[in-house]
Amino acid sequence: LWSIVTELDLSLDAVIRGGPSDDARDEQPGKASASPVARAGDRRSIRLDSGVQWEELSPGGEPGIDFVKATYEVGGSSTLDESLMRHSGREYGFVLSGRLGIQIGFRDYELGPGDSIAFDSTTPHRLYNKGDEPVEAVWFVTGRGDDSHTD
């Protein structure tokens, strides 16, 4: 999915929303924008075959930025196999529950509740559930708009 989003020069938010929101299309310069609040139960989400669900946390979305709550089911990972991905931008993550394994290049990290991480997304990486309970994390990716390379 990251590769497809990158190739189409979209953010994950644009994929979840299916393009610009109705509110964004209706906005005019100088007019107040839609509500800045994203209510629980009203947010859009997508579930991947790899055992991951992304729920958008930003109410309107911004180009080149993904702000999501990520849930990794037991055995879930950012890729179906153990391949790594890369894309432009920088990632910031905060684990709420569970044990999240992160491979960045040749190094492996394990994050638990309260742990956070930040890294350059152009470095090949993979995120996966490393425990026996679902992982919930808040993820923020910025700078995806200038993607010129993916794997």
Side-chain angles (χ1 to χ4, degrees), residues 64-127:
I65 295 177
D66 296 323
F67 180 39
V68 299
K69 176 183 172 194
T71 303
Y72 291 78
E73 297 300 329
V74 174
S77 68
S78 56
T79 59
L80 282 173
D81 54 18
E82 293 189 13
S83 63
L84 304 178
M85 66 176 146
R86 65 185 179 131
H87 49 86
S88 67
R90 185 152 181 86
E91 299 195 27
Y92 303 86
F94 179 78
V95 175
L96 300 168
S97 63
R99 307 297 303 171
L100 183 65
I102 303 176
Q103 181 181 353
I104 304 172
F106 294 105
R107 299 201 57 190
D108 289 300
Y109 303 91
E110 182 175 330
L111 279 64
D115 293 340
S116 59
I117 193 167
F119 60 94
D120 185 334
S121 303
T122 61
T123 304
H125 58 281
R126 176 178 175 261
L127 289 74

Side-chain angles (χ1 to χ4, degrees), residues 10 13-15 17-26 44 60-61:
L10 299 171
D13 180 68
V15 172
R17 289 183 174 280
S21 68
D22 291 337
D23 293 335
R25 284 189 291 267
D26 293 340
R44 296 181 187 201

Side-chain angles (χ1 to χ4, degrees), residues 9 88-89 143-149:
D9 196 25
S88 67
R144 288 189 44 85
D146 17 313
D147 268 329
S148 60
H149 52 331

Side-chain angles (χ1 to χ4, degrees), residues 11-81:
S11 70
L12 181 60
D13 180 68
V15 172
I16 292 172
R17 289 183 174 280
S21 68
D22 291 337
D23 293 335
R25 284 189 291 267
D26 293 340
E27 289 180 14
Q28 297 173 6
K31 288 184 80 176
S33 64
S35 174
V37 177
R39 302 264 181 223
D42 290 339
R43 295 188 287 255
R44 296 181 187 201
S45 67
I46 58 173
R47 183 174 303 275
L48 307 177
D49 287 341
S50 62
V52 179
Q53 178 175 334
W54 288 318
E55 179 181 353
E56 69 178 348
L57 294 177
S58 55
E62 295 181 42
I65 295 177
D66 296 323
F67 180 39
V68 299
K69 176 183 172 194
T71 303
Y72 291 78
E73 297 300 329
V74 174
S77 68
S78 56
T79 59
L80 282 173
D81 54 18

